[in-house]
Coordinates of all heavy atoms in Angstrom, one line a residue:
M1 N 43.4 41.3 39.1 CA 44.7 40.6 39.1 C 45.7 41.4 39.9 O 46.5 40.7 40.7 CB 45.2 40.4 37.7 CG 44.3 39.4 36.8 SD 44.4 37.7 37.5 CE 46.1 37.3 37.2
A2 N 45.6 42.7 39.9 CA 46.7 43.5 40.6 C 46.4 43.4 42.1 O 47.3 43.3 43.0 CB 46.5 44.9 40.2
E3 N 45.0 43.3 42.5 CA 44.7 43.1 43.8 C 45.1 41.8 44.3 O 45.5 41.7 45.4 CB 43.2 43.3 44.0 CG 42.7 43.4 45.5 CD 41.3 43.7 45.6 OE1 40.7 44.1 44.6 OE2 40.6 43.4 46.8
I4 N 45.0 40.8 43.5 CA 45.3 39.4 43.9 C 46.8 39.4 44.2 O 47.4 38.8 45.2 CB 45.0 38.3 42.9 CG1 43.3 38.3 43.0 CG2 45.6 37.0 43.3 CD1 42.9 37.3 41.8
D5 N 47.6 40.0 43.2 CA 49.1 40.0 43.4 C 49.4 40.8 44.6 O 50.3 40.3 45.4 CB 49.7 40.7 42.1 CG 49.5 39.8 40.9 OD1 49.4 38.5 41.1 OD2 49.6 40.5 39.8
R6 N 48.7 41.9 44.9 CA 49.1 42.6 46.1 C 48.8 41.9 47.4 O 49.7 41.9 48.3 CB 48.3 44.0 46.3 CG 48.8 44.9 47.1 CD 48.1 46.2 47.2 NE 46.5 46.2 47.4 CZ 45.7 46.2 46.5 NH1 46.0 46.4 45.2 NH2 44.4 46.1 46.8
M7 N 47.7 41.1 47.4 CA 47.4 40.3 48.6 C 48.6 39.3 48.8 O 48.9 38.9 49.9 CB 46.0 39.6 48.4 CG 44.8 40.6 48.6 SD 43.2 39.7 48.6 CE 43.1 39.2 47.0
K8 N 49.0 38.7 47.7 CA 50.1 37.6 47.8 C 51.3 38.1 48.3 O 52.1 37.7 49.2 CB 50.2 36.9 46.5 CG 49.0 36.0 46.1 CD 49.4 35.3 44.8 CE 48.3 34.3 44.4 NZ 48.5 33.7 43.1
D9 N 51.7 39.4 47.7 CA 53.0 40.0 48.0 C 53.0 40.6 49.3 O 54.1 40.4 50.1 CB 53.3 41.1 46.9 CG 53.5 40.6 45.6 OD1 53.9 39.4 45.5 OD2 53.3 41.4 44.5
F10 N 51.9 41.2 49.8 CA 51.9 41.9 51.0 C 51.1 41.2 52.1 O 50.9 41.7 53.3 CB 51.4 43.4 51.0 CG 52.3 44.2 50.0 CD1 51.9 44.5 48.7 CD2 53.4 44.7 50.6 CE1 52.7 45.1 47.8 CE2 54.2 45.6 49.7 CZ 53.9 45.7 48.3
K11 N 50.6 40.1 51.9 CA 49.8 39.2 52.9 C 48.6 40.0 53.3 O 48.3 40.0 54.5 CB 50.7 38.8 54.0 CG 51.9 37.9 53.6 CD 51.6 36.6 53.1 CE 52.8 35.7 52.8 NZ 52.5 34.5 52.3
E12 N 48.0 40.7 52.3 CA 46.8 41.3 52.7 C 45.5 40.4 52.7 O 45.5 39.6 51.9 CB 46.5 42.5 51.8 CG 47.5 43.7 51.9 CD 47.1 44.7 51.0 OE1 46.0 44.8 50.4 OE2 47.9 45.8 50.9
R13 N 44.6 40.6 53.6 CA 43.5 39.8 53.7 C 42.4 40.0 52.6 O 42.1 41.4 52.3 CB 42.7 39.9 55.0 CG 43.5 39.3 56.1 CD 42.8 39.5 57.5 NE 43.4 38.8 58.5 CZ 44.4 39.2 59.3 NH1 45.0 40.4 58.9 NH2 44.9 38.5 60.3
P14 N 41.9 39.1 52.0 CA 40.7 39.5 51.1 C 39.5 40.1 51.9 O 39.5 39.9 53.1 CB 40.3 38.2 50.4 CG 41.4 37.3 50.7 CD 42.1 37.7 52.0
V15 N 38.6 40.7 51.3 CA 37.5 41.3 52.0 C 36.3 40.3 51.8 O 35.9 39.9 50.8 CB 37.0 42.6 51.4 CG1 35.7 43.1 52.0 CG2 38.2 43.6 51.5
Y16 N 35.9 39.7 53.0 CA 34.8 38.8 53.1 C 33.6 39.5 53.7 O 33.6 40.2 54.6 CB 35.1 37.6 54.0 CG 36.3 36.7 53.5 CD1 37.7 36.9 54.0 CD2 36.1 35.7 52.6 CE1 38.6 36.1 53.5 CE2 37.1 35.0 52.0 CZ 38.4 35.1 52.6 OH 39.4 34.3 52.2
T17 N 32.5 39.1 53.0 CA 31.1 39.8 53.5 C 30.6 38.9 54.6 O 30.9 37.7 54.8 CB 30.1 40.0 52.4 OG1 29.7 38.7 51.9 CG2 30.8 40.8 51.2
W18 N 29.6 39.5 55.3 CA 28.8 38.8 56.4 C 28.2 37.6 55.7 O 28.1 36.5 56.2 CB 27.8 39.6 57.0 CG 26.9 38.9 57.7 CD1 25.6 38.5 57.4 CD2 27.1 38.2 59.0 NE1 25.0 37.8 58.4 CE2 26.0 37.6 59.4 CE3 28.2 38.3 59.9 CZ2 25.8 36.8 60.6 CZ3 28.1 37.6 61.1 CH2 26.9 36.9 61.5
R19 N 27.6 37.7 54.4 CA 26.8 36.7 53.8 C 27.8 35.5 53.5 O 27.3 34.4 53.6 CB 26.1 37.2 52.5 CG 25.3 36.2 51.9 CD 24.5 36.8 50.7 NE 23.6 37.9 51.1 CZ 23.6 39.1 50.7 NH1 24.5 39.3 49.8 NH2 22.8 40.0 51.2
Q20 N 29.0 35.7 53.1 CA 29.9 34.7 52.9 C 30.2 33.9 54.1 O 30.3 32.7 54.2 CB 31.2 35.2 52.3 CG 31.1 35.7 50.8 CD 32.4 36.4 50.3 OE1 32.8 37.4 51.0 NE2 33.1 35.8 49.3
A21 N 30.5 34.6 55.3 CA 30.8 34.1 56.5 C 29.5 33.2 57.0 O 29.8 32.1 57.5 CB 31.3 35.1 57.5
A22 N 28.5 33.9 57.0 CA 27.2 33.2 57.4 C 27.0 31.9 56.6 O 26.5 30.8 57.2 CB 25.9 34.2 57.3
T23 N 27.1 32.0 55.5 CA 26.9 30.7 54.5 C 27.9 29.6 54.9 O 27.6 28.4 55.1 CB 27.1 31.2 53.0 OG1 26.2 32.1 52.8 CG2 26.8 29.9 52.2
K24 N 29.2 30.0 55.1 CA 30.2 29.0 55.5 C 29.8 28.4 56.8 O 30.0 27.2 57.1 CB 31.6 29.7 55.5 CG 32.7 28.8 56.0 CD 34.0 29.5 55.8 CE 35.2 28.6 56.3 NZ 35.3 27.4 55.5
Y25 N 29.4 29.3 57.7 CA 29.1 28.7 59.2 C 27.9 27.8 59.0 O 27.9 26.7 59.6 CB 28.8 29.9 60.1 CG 28.6 29.5 61.5 CD1 29.7 29.5 62.3 CD2 27.4 29.4 62.1 CE1 29.5 29.1 63.7 CE2 27.1 29.1 63.4 CZ 28.3 28.9 64.3 OH 28.0 28.6 65.5
L26 N 26.9 28.2 58.2 CA 25.7 27.4 58.1 C 26.0 26.0 57.6 O 25.5 25.0 57.9 CB 24.8 28.1 57.2 CG 23.2 27.6 57.2 CD1 22.6 27.6 58.6 CD2 22.4 28.3 56.2
L27 N 26.9 26.0 56.6 CA 27.2 24.8 55.8 C 28.1 23.8 56.7 O 28.0 22.7 57.0 CB 28.0 25.0 54.6 CG 27.2 25.6 53.4 CD1 28.1 25.9 52.3 CD2 26.1 24.6 53.0
E28 N 29.0 24.4 57.6 CA 29.9 23.7 58.5 C 29.0 23.2 59.7 O 29.4 22.1 60.3 CB 31.0 24.7 59.1 CG 32.0 24.9 58.1 CD 33.3 25.6 58.7 OE1 33.1 26.0 59.9 OE2 34.2 25.9 58.0
Y29 N 27.9 23.8 60.1 CA 27.2 23.4 61.3 C 25.7 22.9 60.9 O 24.8 23.0 61.6 CB 27.0 24.5 62.2 CG 28.3 24.8 62.9 CD1 29.2 25.6 62.3 CD2 28.6 24.1 64.1 CE1 30.3 26.0 63.1 CE2 29.8 24.4 64.8 CZ 30.8 25.3 64.2 OH 31.9 25.5 64.9
K30 N 25.7 22.2 59.5 CA 24.4 21.9 59.1 C 23.8 20.7 59.9 O 22.7 20.4 59.8 CB 24.5 21.4 57.6 CG 25.5 20.3 57.3 CD 25.6 20.1 55.8 CE 26.6 19.0 55.5 NZ 26.7 19.0 53.9
K31 N 24.6 20.0 60.8 CA 24.2 18.8 61.5 C 23.9 19.3 62.9 O 23.5 18.6 63.8 CB 25.1 17.8 61.5 CG 25.3 17.0 60.2 CD 26.2 15.9 60.3 CE 26.4 15.2 58.9 NZ 27.3 13.9 58.9
K32 N 24.0 20.5 63.1 CA 23.7 21.2 64.4 C 22.2 20.9 64.8 O 21.4 21.2 63.9 CB 24.0 22.7 64.5 CG 24.1 23.3 65.7 CD 24.5 24.9 65.6 CE 24.4 25.6 67.0 NZ 25.5 25.3 67.8
P33 N 21.9 20.4 66.0 CA 20.4 20.1 66.4 C 19.7 21.4 66.1 O 18.5 21.2 65.8 CB 20.7 19.8 67.9 CG 21.9 19.3 68.0 CD 22.8 20.1 67.2
S34 N 20.2 22.6 66.4 CA 19.2 23.8 66.2 C 19.5 24.4 64.8 O 19.4 25.7 64.8 CB 19.6 24.7 67.4 OG 21.1 25.1 67.3
I35 N 19.7 23.7 63.8 CA 20.0 24.3 62.5 C 18.9 25.0 62.0 O 19.0 26.1 61.3 CB 20.4 23.1 61.5 CG1 20.8 23.7 60.1 CG2 19.2 22.1 61.3 CD1 22.0 24.5 60.2
G36 N 17.6 24.7 62.3 CA 16.5 25.4 61.9 C 16.5 26.8 62.4 O 16.2 27.9 61.7
L37 N 16.7 27.0 63.7 CA 16.7 28.2 64.3 C 18.0 29.1 63.9 O 17.8 30.3 63.6 CB 16.9 28.1 65.9 CG 17.1 29.4 66.8 CD1 15.9 30.2 66.7 CD2 17.4 28.9 68.2
L38 N 19.1 28.4 63.7 CA 20.3 29.1 63.2 C 20.0 29.7 61.8 O 20.2 30.9 61.5 CB 21.4 28.0 63.1 CG 22.6 28.6 62.3 CD1 23.3 29.8 62.9 CD2 23.7 27.4 62.1

């Protein structure tokens, strides 16, 4: 909770992992022709 408050007060970025980013990208581009290769 303290970390969330600090991010709100000081506009600090949360820490995102590569897996979170890769999953988001995969879902956003699931209709990409080369989705299997991706």
Side-chain angles (χ1 to χ4, degrees):
M1 291 296 293
E3 186 176 347
I4 292 173
D5 289 338
R6 188 173 66 255
M7 285 188 295
K8 289 182 177 179
D9 294 339
F10 297 98
K11 302 293 185 182
E12 290 184 8
R13 289 179 173 82
V15 176
Y16 295 98
T17 65
W18 167 260
R19 186 172 296 121
Q20 288 175 297
T23 302
K24 180 175 176 62
Y25 188 85
L26 192 62
L27 291 173
E28 287 188 358
Y29 289 89
K30 60 185 178 183
K31 293 185 179 180
K32 194 178 178 71
S34 56
I35 184 65
L37 175 61
L38 168 59

